Amino acid sequence: MRETLRTRMGWLHAWTGFVGGLVMVCVFVTGSLSVFDTEITRWMQPEVRVAPGTPLTPAALDVAARMIHEGETHGIPAFLALPSPRSPTLKVLHYDGREFTGPQLDPQTGVIIPARQTAGGEFFFRFHYTLCMQGPAGILAVDIPAIGLLVAIGSGLVIHIRALLPDIVLLRLSATRLRAWLDAHLLTGVLFLPFMVMITYTGVLVHVDRLLPAIPVTSLWSQGRPVSRSTAIRPPHVAPSPVFQPLPPLAPLLAAARAPLGGREAGFILFSPDHLSIFASDASGPFLTRDHADFHLPDGALLATAATSGSIARSVQLLHGLHYARFAATGLRWLYLVSGLCATAVIASGLVLFGMKRRRDRGHTVAFRIGEGLTMTTLVGLPASLCALLWASRLLPATLPGRDGTEITVFFTVWGLCALHALTCAVTGRGLRAWRTQLAMSAVLAGGLLPLDGLTAPAALHAAPAIHAAVDGMGLGAASLALYVLSHLRDRAA
Amino acid sequence: MTFPVALAACLAAFLCHALLHGRRYRLPTPPPGLRPVAYLLRMAAPLGALAGAVANHGVTGALLWFAAASLAGLGAGLLLATRQY
Amino acid sequence: MDARRRPAVPAWNRPGSLVLACLLSYGVAHLVVMDIARLPGPATGEATALGQIMALALLPVLIVLGFGAHARHVGLFVVGGCGLAAALVGAVLS
């Protein structure tokens, strides 16, 4: 085989796209859903029926302040997430080693809402950037395939550069199946190229310290060395437990913080033994700042204001803000979701093309069949497992201890079973049958969300109709897509 | 209003682009008088929409424009593809 | 040179060449971060952030270049040359 730039780039595009794509489909699907993580959490907690825009009262803030002070004296530091148009409740949150958790209060009365424990939309967010793996390994497991995706995009551009502009809206559905898939891949790939590059680049940039730390390479390895025996047996230094000052009324402090924060709404409050910090809301602009006003405890006098200046810091904040999209109004959020799903379609069509191009020559090999099984696990198994998570959030008993963990177990169990089924069928030469079975299962799980919602939480449907209509409608959309693909596969089999 | 305007402008630009590459897209060749108009529309409509979006909404406007351009391209592609049937 | 007259290169060297391109490109990107972090002017944290922004944008480009320009391993030499230049700048700055 003669090596030309085009063949070499084709090989690079195919393999980095396939290997990275298997992970990136998972990252893009869950990332797209994370744009509406708060709304998904509300769908998964039908007990929370506080209307958006319910005013926050000083009484509710005082109840929250008492809970936080009590927690601090018991060694559980917590912070206060203030109500917002997307999440109308007051949340007293602490980190349990895996996620932020805690009670939700009615913003008007301060009464604890007896909401079920759930993995919530937070799970999609956490899975999106760590694949639910602990420590830096999870972040690197996402970041390295993301770099692979950027390499695939670059090599794809080199291959397609001549036809990039003339063929920008070319789609030949009536051509051969391979040609039609390739056109669909190119059409969505080129049109959503700016979004894909922006979201992948800014996503890796969020945790770039893990990938490109500003320390010599040699010290990277020395950091991970096991602790020597002499240091291991040394008793740990025990710091004296700090004395937490009583908290003043929070409502006047929130009003006082407005001016130093430049008129921006407050997002959350952090508490220290001798001061508290009121942070600007992430929704207040495209720059994801951590600007805050500090108040002395217990008298509540303004101590200082921390606001980031400097062009580089502002640029970083903008790049982070573009990725998180917390500033975006509902309309722009929907565009993020649609763009994210289209980007997923680009990668998914690439995975399908990878298999189609190799099926004739290598379809009989075990390696090819494992690749097909993995593709199936990613493209069909993942959406089915995500739907299973939503089913679990409604069907598990509301008072079950460790309920959120059980939901996650259900998700991974279903995904694992899908993987086992896909790989077994693919390796034994029954790949098409496995595609059909899993597509049918996905259609049932996704399409069943609407009746499930209506039967298990009819009151919540009336309290937040837009959220429930959106989630159930997305389920119906996914089910329709699965049925459409299934009907095409049946035609092919016939 | 920014998004629908950008969507319409980009859709018009993509359709003009297809018209200018008639053979590729299996479209009739436009009359000579129409070609300069199509060239102008292809360039001016999206750029005008971008300028308007950024001037009115800053970063959000730019994001809206990119999303509109992508979706308009997808719409144009599907429209031209279904025309063949 | 015409593509048809180019000597055939065995396909098995592609994965090796990709691994080499990745390692070299990562080294160069890391050196860029280190160099910019040492630049006099902006505060260390800000300079590091700037270095990371640039290095991250550079990394995929370097990998594509290092792997793609295969004739006489020009790509790898160019990436290696960039690394050498970055190392020299680092030595001057430190």
Side-chain angles (χ1 to χ4, degrees), chain A residues 1-5 7-9 11-12 147 150-151 154-155 201 204-205 208-209 211-217 309-310 312-313 316 319, chain C residues 3-4 6-9 13-15 17-18 26 29-30 33-34 42 46 48-50 52-53 55-57 59-60 63-64 67-68 70:
Chain A
M1 184 183 174
R2 302 282 171 186
E3 282 281 86
T4 63
L5 179 66
T7 56
R8 212 166 161 82
M9 284 290 134
W11 184 88
L12 182 65
I147 294 287
L150 289 174
V151 170
S155 52
Y201 173 75
V204 181
L205 196 71
V208 71
D209 277 327
L211 197 70
L212 290 166
I215 48 172
V217 177
S309 58
I312 298 171
V316 173
L319 291 169
Chain C
R4 283 167 300 174
R6 267 189 206 133
V9 179
N13 75 355
R14 282 173 178 171
S17 169
L18 178 60
Y26 180 79
H30 190 261
V33 175
M34 298 293 291
E46 288 216 334
T48 304
L50 177 66
Q52 288 169 333
I53 289 172
L56 189 58
L59 182 57
I63 294 173
V64 172
F67 178 81
H70 65 288

Side-chain angles (χ1 to χ4, degrees), chain B residues 13-41:
Chain B
F14 280 124
L15 292 176
C16 286
H17 174 79
L19 205 62
L20 289 168
H21 290 85
R23 197 180 293 170
R24 242 176 232 272
Y25 292 91
R26 294 182 192 172
L27 290 173
T29 314
L34 201 68
R35 287 187 75 84
V37 179
Y39 272 117
L40 186 71
L41 202 60

Side-chain angles (χ1 to χ4, degrees), chain A residues 18 22 351-352 354-356 358-359 362-381 418-419 421-436 438 489 492:
Chain A
F18 179 72
L22 287 173
L351 293 177
V352 172
F354 184 87
M356 284 173 93
R358 284 157 184 79
R359 185 178 293 278
R362 288 172 230 166
H364 60 282
T365 61
V366 175
F368 175 88
R369 290 177 177 186
I370 290 174
E372 188 184 15
L374 291 175
T375 305
M376 209 185 310
T377 305
T378 311
L379 297 188
V380 196
C418 284
H421 174 251
L423 286 166
T424 312
C425 288
V427 169
T428 53
R430 291 174 294 151
L432 191 60
R433 200 167 122 186
W435 278 103
R436 290 205 298 261
Q438 294 209 10
L489 285 181
R492 195 179 136 193

Side-chain angles (χ1 to χ4, degrees), chain A residues 31 42 68 87 169 174 208 212 215 217 268 274 320 322 335 346 432:
Chain A
R42 288 188 65 193
I68 284 168
S87 175
V169 285
S174 52
V208 71
L212 290 166
I215 48 172
V217 177
F268 59 96
D274 59 350
H320 287 184
L322 285 176
L335 291 176
V346 176
L432 191 60

Side-chain angles (χ1 to χ4, degrees), chain A residues 298-383:
Chain A
D299 57 9
L302 180 65
L303 285 173
T305 308
T308 322
S309 58
S311 54
I312 298 171
R314 296 285 286 168
S315 304
V316 173
Q317 288 172 355
L318 178 62
L319 291 169
H320 287 184
L322 285 176
H323 189 83
Y324 283 92
R326 286 184 182 151
F327 69 96
T330 311
L332 188 55
R333 270 172 199 284
W334 273 107
L335 291 176
Y336 260 78
L337 175 73
V338 171
S339 302
L341 293 179
C342 287
T344 311
V346 176
I347 309 171
S349 56
L351 293 177
V352 172
L353 277 165
F354 184 87
M356 284 173 93
K357 284 187 174 175
R358 284 157 184 79
R359 185 178 293 278
R360 183 178 289 176
D361 294 338
R362 288 172 230 166
H364 60 282
T365 61
V366 175
F368 175 88
R369 290 177 177 186
I370 290 174
E372 188 184 15
L374 291 175
T375 305
M376 209 185 310
T377 305
T378 311
L379 297 188
V380 196
L382 178 74

